[in-house]
Amino acid sequence: MKTSRLVIGIISIVLFLLIAFQSCAAGTANALEGNGEVSGSAGFLLAVCMLIAGIVGIVTRNKGKGGAITAGCFYLVGGLLAIANVGSFADLKIWSIVSFIFAAVFIIGALRQKED
């Protein structure tokens, strides 16, 4: 599990950049159109949650269950924020599903982890 936490953490940090840029573009488009959607802002919040969860996952990969559960909760909160506000930013649905998958890996891995 330690290796998967490291890999998912690194992927999350890289995805932060991609999701943040896409969200900024979607937010700008929403503002220019004046359609009242918040999908760009929700995407940016998802990106920040993925960054925080990735850093927590990397830093606490050799520690106990608490760090993995914390990272999993950040993934879960980010995914819930994103899936609730998809709107015209259709890629947000994909990123929220990825966030849910990462949350499941971290939380299930923490629950199955034996105490050291």
Side-chain angles (χ1 to χ4, degrees), residues 14-39:
V14 172
L15 283 178
F16 161 76
L17 296 171
L18 180 65
I19 297 169
F21 285 136
Q22 283 185 340
S23 298
C24 288
T28 303
N30 288 338
L32 290 174
E33 291 176 5
N35 56 13
E37 289 185 7
V38 293
S39 57

Side-chain angles (χ1 to χ4, degrees), residues 91-106:
D91 288 351
L92 193 57
K93 186 182 293 186
I94 296 168
W95 301 130
S96 63
I97 291 170
V98 168
S99 183
F100 287 139
I101 292 169
F102 288 173
V105 168
F106 270 84

Side-chain angles (χ1 to χ4, degrees), residues 42 79-87 96:
L80 288 173
L81 282 171
I83 202 75
N85 297 303
V86 170
S96 63

